[in-house]
């Protein structure tokens, strides 16, 4: 029950001292698959799950012809948020799965059978996106795997979900914006829809603020605990900002000041720095004028 709740809420807490890597559990591949399905479902976001449920329900009714009127209507389509979230989640998981399997095949996955390697690679690809469980020894991960884990932790789960991070939609919008600029397009178009400018602005504000908070966290902990090493400290801050819960083993030995920094980073990461700024700054009234626009040299 504890692991079911913890997995769905992307908490990462475990009653086992070494999480799923605990002896007697690390080879329980069925348990690992169930946990993966649970925290991925929790990380998709409640609106996305409702939309998918409605879509599947309509498909089933259409297939079984329970309602004759359904045949005359176009099947329920997934909205733009659901499509972007699902495509981004599947793309990130599939890419991370391949890299994790290749990089850790003869390292942390060496003790497993081929089926076990596949399951653990999937677990390792999905858990950094705020789930927080680990089925391998985190301190033994290869350096490239740690770098990929940095990126996955930073991106995190989806909006309106139980997970943290900058969110998959933010990462997707930033990526689509880069592709649009490369193609010389002035707007972002996806699935026959145009992304609103306000969404693009929020995405890049979220990205910039997240890096600023994480950067300050790394600087402060480096000052308070310089002996912990930059890689370990950076991993701790990225994990804290996205409320992942993974660590390379330094959390318990951090000084009181560093733990306070981690607490603040976790709080800001979960609430969102953009939300905090919006709450603090006084709103200005809408002005019925516009200044002449000019382009600024970027590169």
């Amino acid at each position: 029950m504890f692991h079911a709740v913890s997995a769905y809420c992307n908490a990462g807490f475990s009653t086992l001292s070494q999480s799923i890597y605990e002896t007697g559990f690390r080879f329980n591949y069925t348990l690992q698959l169930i946990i993966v399905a649970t925290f991925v479902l929790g990380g998709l976001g409640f609106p996305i799950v409702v939309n998918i449920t409605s879509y599947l329900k309509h498909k089933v009714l259409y297939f079984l012809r329970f309602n004759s009127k359904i045949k005359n209507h176009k099947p329920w389509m997934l909205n733009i948020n659901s499509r972007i979230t699902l495509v981004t989640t599947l793309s990130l998981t599939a890419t991370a799965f391949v890299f994790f399997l290749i990089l850790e095949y003869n390292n942390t996955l060496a003790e497993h059978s081929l089926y076990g390697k596949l399951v653990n690679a999937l677990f390792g690809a999905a858990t950094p996106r705020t789930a927080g469980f680990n089925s391998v020894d985190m301190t033994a991960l290869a350096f490239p795997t740690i770098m990929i884990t940095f990126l996955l932790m930073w991106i995190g789960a989806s909006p309106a979900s139980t997970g943290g991070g900058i969110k998959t939609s933010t990462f997707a919008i930033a990526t689509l914006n880069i592709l649009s600029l490369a193609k010389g397009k002035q707007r972002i178009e996806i699935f026959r829809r145009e992304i609103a400018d306000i969404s693009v602005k929020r995405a890049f504000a979220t990205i910039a603020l997240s890096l600023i908070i994480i950067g300050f966290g790394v600087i402060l902990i480096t000052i308070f605990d310089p002996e912990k090493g930059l890689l370990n400290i950076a991993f701790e801050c990225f994990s804290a900002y996205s409320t992942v819960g993974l660590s390379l083993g330094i959390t318990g030995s951090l000084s009181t000041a560093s733990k306070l920094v981690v607490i603040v980073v976790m709080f800001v990461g979960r609430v969102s720095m953009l939300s905090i700024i919006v709450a603090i700054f006084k709103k200005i009234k809408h002005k019925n004028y516009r200044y002449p626009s000019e382009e600024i040299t970027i590169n």
Side-chain angles (χ1 to χ4, degrees), residues 242-294:
S242 298
T243 61
V244 179
L246 293 176
S247 175
L248 295 181
I250 68 168
T251 308
S253 59
L254 289 174
S255 64
T256 302
S258 293
K259 289 179 180 178
L260 289 173
V261 172
V262 171
I263 290 172
V264 172
V265 173
M266 284 193 293
F267 178 80
V268 172
R270 194 65 187 95
V271 176
S272 171
M273 190 61 195
L274 184 59
S275 298
I276 296 174
I277 290 178
V278 168
I280 293 175
F281 278 79
K282 182 180 180 180
K283 306 298 180 296
I284 61 173
K285 295 182 179 180
H286 178 70
K287 304 294 184 181
N288 294 318
Y289 66 84
R290 294 186 65 175
Y291 292 115
S293 62
E294 291 190 26

Side-chain angles (χ1 to χ4, degrees), residues 172-192:
I173 290 175
T175 303
L176 290 171
N177 186 56
I178 294 172
L179 295 176
S180 295
L181 290 173
K183 295 177 181 178
K185 298 172 66 176
Q186 296 183 344
R187 55 184 180 270
I188 302 176
E189 299 172 333
I190 184 74
F191 298 123
R192 294 184 295 180

Side-chain angles (χ1 to χ4, degrees), residues 2-3 6 12-19 22 25 133:
F2 187 93
H3 283 83
S6 180
F13 288 113
S14 175
T15 50
L16 307 174
S17 60
Q18 300 185 70
S19 191
E22 185 81 9
F25 291 86
F133 295 102

Side-chain angles (χ1 to χ4, degrees), residues 12-288:
F13 288 113
S14 175
T15 50
L16 307 174
S17 60
Q18 300 185 70
S19 191
I20 311 302
Y21 185 62
E22 185 81 9
T23 304
F25 291 86
R26 70 179 71 168
F27 298 105
N28 192 336
Y29 306 130
T30 303
L31 172 67
Q32 292 180 25
L33 289 174
I34 293 173
I35 290 178
V36 168
T38 306
F39 64 62
V40 167
L41 189 64
L44 282 177
F46 302 111
I48 308 301
V49 174
V50 171
N51 192 200
I52 294 173
T53 303
S54 301
Y55 174 78
L56 294 176
K57 178 182 177 181
H58 190 100
K59 281 291 188 181
V60 171
L61 292 177
Y62 181 80
F63 178 75
L64 298 177
R65 302 294 197 277
F66 281 153
N67 189 342
S68 59
K69 295 181 179 180
I70 293 178
K71 294 183 290 185
N72 301 322
H73 294 277
K74 188 177 181 179
W76 182 278
M77 300 300 293
L78 294 173
N79 61 40
I80 187 68
N81 280 303
S82 297
R83 291 191 177 195
I84 289 178
T85 297
L86 290 174
V87 170
T88 307
T89 299
L90 290 174
S91 300
L92 288 172
T93 304
T95 304
F97 167 78
V98 172
F99 276 105
F100 197 96
L101 183 63
I102 294 173
L103 295 172
E104 299 297 323
Y105 194 88
N106 294 316
N107 188 27
T108 58
L109 301 180
E111 60 182 343
H112 297 279
S113 62
L114 178 60
Y115 176 67
K117 285 180 170 65
L118 294 174
V119 173
N120 275 273
L122 177 62
F123 196 99
T127 194
R129 294 183 41 247
T130 83
F133 295 102
N134 64 286
S135 61
V136 298
D137 183 4
M138 295 298 296
T139 59
L141 291 176
F143 182 78
T145 308
I146 294 177
M147 291 295 99
I148 294 173
T149 304
F150 269 112
L151 177 63
L152 294 174
M153 290 193 300
W154 179 59
I155 296 172
S158 303
S161 71
T162 60
I166 64 169
K167 303 298 187 296
T168 51
S169 57
T170 301
F171 178 75
I173 290 175
T175 303
L176 290 171
N177 186 56
I178 294 172
L179 295 176
S180 295
L181 290 173
K183 295 177 181 178
K185 298 172 66 176
Q186 296 183 344
R187 55 184 180 270
I188 302 176
E189 299 172 333
I190 184 74
F191 298 123
R192 294 184 295 180
R193 294 290 188 275
E194 182 180 338
I195 305 299
D197 288 338
I198 187 63
S199 296
V200 180
K201 292 177 181 178
R202 285 172 180 164
F204 278 90
T206 300
I207 290 173
L209 291 171
S210 70
L211 294 177
I212 291 172
I213 297 301
I214 293 171
F216 271 113
V218 171
I219 292 172
L220 291 174
I221 296 179
T222 304
I223 294 174
F224 298 135
D225 293 286
E227 74 282 357
K228 299 301 181 185
L230 181 60
L231 180 65
N232 295 331
I233 293 173
F235 193 96
E236 202 78 10
C237 288
F238 272 89
S239 179
Y241 183 85
S242 298
T243 61
V244 179
L246 293 176
S247 175
L248 295 181
I250 68 168
T251 308
S253 59
L254 289 174
S255 64
T256 302
S258 293
K259 289 179 180 178
L260 289 173
V261 172
V262 171
I263 290 172
V264 172
V265 173
M266 284 193 293
F267 178 80
V268 172
R270 194 65 187 95
V271 176
S272 171
M273 190 61 195
L274 184 59
S275 298
I276 296 174
I277 290 178
V278 168
I280 293 175
F281 278 79
K282 182 180 180 180
K283 306 298 180 296
I284 61 173
K285 295 182 179 180
H286 178 70
K287 304 294 184 181
N288 294 318

